Amino acid sequence: MNDKVVVITGASGGIGAALARQVAGQAGRVVLAARREPELRQVAAQCGPDALVVPADVTRREDLQRVLDAALGRFGHVDVWVNNAGRGISKLVSELTDEDFDEMMRVNVKSALYGMQAVLPHFQARGRGHLINVSSMLGRVPYVPFRSAYNAAKHALNALTANLRMEVRERFPHIHVSTVLPGPVATDFGVNALGGGPDSRRLPNAQTPEEVAAVIQELIARPRGDVYTRPEYHAQVLAWYDTADQGAPNKA
């Protein structure tokens, strides 16, 4: 990591915590942001004395600015910003309330937007930087109906990420904007979903947080646009969009 300063939201557990440990293990310096301060401090203790804990609610724009300010105050610059915080839902489209939908957009889209807008001026001033948004395969192929508004939020996040990449490409070729697309991951995501739901840790073929974190760490070392956390996911996306009526029942 060459002493890179990496800000990670949603760092109190799951993918964010695993990524923090891996970055710190490769001599990177981590800034850990999430609401759960005790858990953040436990992760920081595993990352060494340079780890910076910044308790923050990522759905509040001013909190994301405070995370940036704390990182700059400690380290003087930020090299990589990872918008990893997110939350699922277990409701069909027909069951969604206004608050359900708004919550999915707040946690999964607006939090990332606030992070992007907070760090972008710093990256532009330096002429370089790497912004990584952790999305989901469900943001490409919404084949789990009860994730409904979560699927919609991740589709929106993918679009914003792609548009920011286009926005900075010509004037700032050394600012990289990436999307990471995991499938099921063995974390407490499922049980923490709005409305409850199946435990992601018991899903067949779920990746470990460490596997996904390793993909993100490799992405930091070799920046590019969209990255699937398993090679076969790309083929699944192509197959989905090659179908005339996606999600229709098999009538064969």
Side-chain angles (χ1 to χ4, degrees):
M1 283 293 151
N2 299 320
D3 291 326
K4 284 186 176 178
V5 177
V6 181
V7 175
I8 306 168
T9 71
S12 58
I15 296 169
L19 178 61
R21 290 189 291 266
Q22 291 186 17
V23 169
Q26 294 294 319
R29 294 173 288 177
V30 292
V31 180
L32 310 177
R35 288 182 295 181
R36 300 182 297 172
E37 184 172 357
E39 287 84 351
L40 277 182
R41 296 205 176 278
Q42 290 176 5
V43 176
Q46 300 167 343
C47 296
D50 281 341
L52 175 62
V53 169
V54 188
D57 179 348
V58 296
T59 66
R60 295 169 57 89
R61 184 185 290 274
E62 57 269 28
D63 279 22
L64 271 299
Q65 184 61 50
R66 184 166 50 79
V67 171
L68 176 64
D69 293 343
L72 297 180
R74 169 73 70 85
F75 300 115
H77 70 278
V78 170
D79 296 292
V80 183
W81 184 289
V82 183
N83 287 311
N84 167 68
R87 188 184 184 192
I89 193 169
S90 298
K91 287 191 176 184
L92 299 170
V93 171
S94 58
E95 300 170 338
L96 291 172
T97 67
D98 286 354
E99 181 54 32
D100 292 335
F101 196 83
D102 291 346
E103 174 69 2
M104 288 298 99
M105 291 297 168
R106 276 193 297 267
V107 177
N108 296 297
V109 184
K110 293 183 76 173
S111 66
L113 175 64
Y114 297 157
M116 289 189 279
Q117 292 180 338
V119 78
L120 183 60
H122 174 65
F123 285 170
Q124 290 172 325
R126 298 187 77 213
R128 63 185 186 276
H130 193 175
L131 193 143
I132 299 173
N133 288 332
V134 178
S135 183
S136 169
M137 271 289 285
L138 294 177
R140 284 279 190 268
V141 284
Y143 41 35
V144 182
F146 65 81
R147 292 287 182 229
S148 61
Y150 175 81
N151 299 343
K154 290 300 190 180
H155 272 75
L157 177 61
N158 292 349
L160 286 177
T161 309
N163 288 162
L164 180 61
R165 187 183 306 136
M166 296 173 191
E167 178 182 340
V168 302
R169 180 177 292 156
E170 289 192 12
R171 288 187 56 211
F172 300 98
H174 298 294
I175 295 178
H176 305 287
V177 182
S178 302
T179 310
V180 175
L181 299 129
V185 184
T187 69
D188 56 6
F189 173 86
V191 295
N192 287 336
L194 192 63
D199 190 338
S200 303
R201 293 165 293 195
R202 298 182 179 179
L203 295 178
N205 300 316
Q207 285 184 285
T208 67
E210 289 73 22
E211 288 179 89
V212 176
V215 172
I216 299 173
Q217 187 172 356
E218 191 274 336
L219 174 61
I220 292 171
R222 189 169 67 90
R224 51 209 188 275
D226 291 352
V227 176
Y228 297 95
T229 60
R230 280 182 169 158
E232 61 267 29
Y233 289 164
H234 189 207
Q236 291 177 21
V237 172
L238 295 179
W240 172 268
Y241 285 103
D242 194 43
T243 302
D245 188 8
Q246 294 92 354
N250 186 350
K251 298 178 181 178

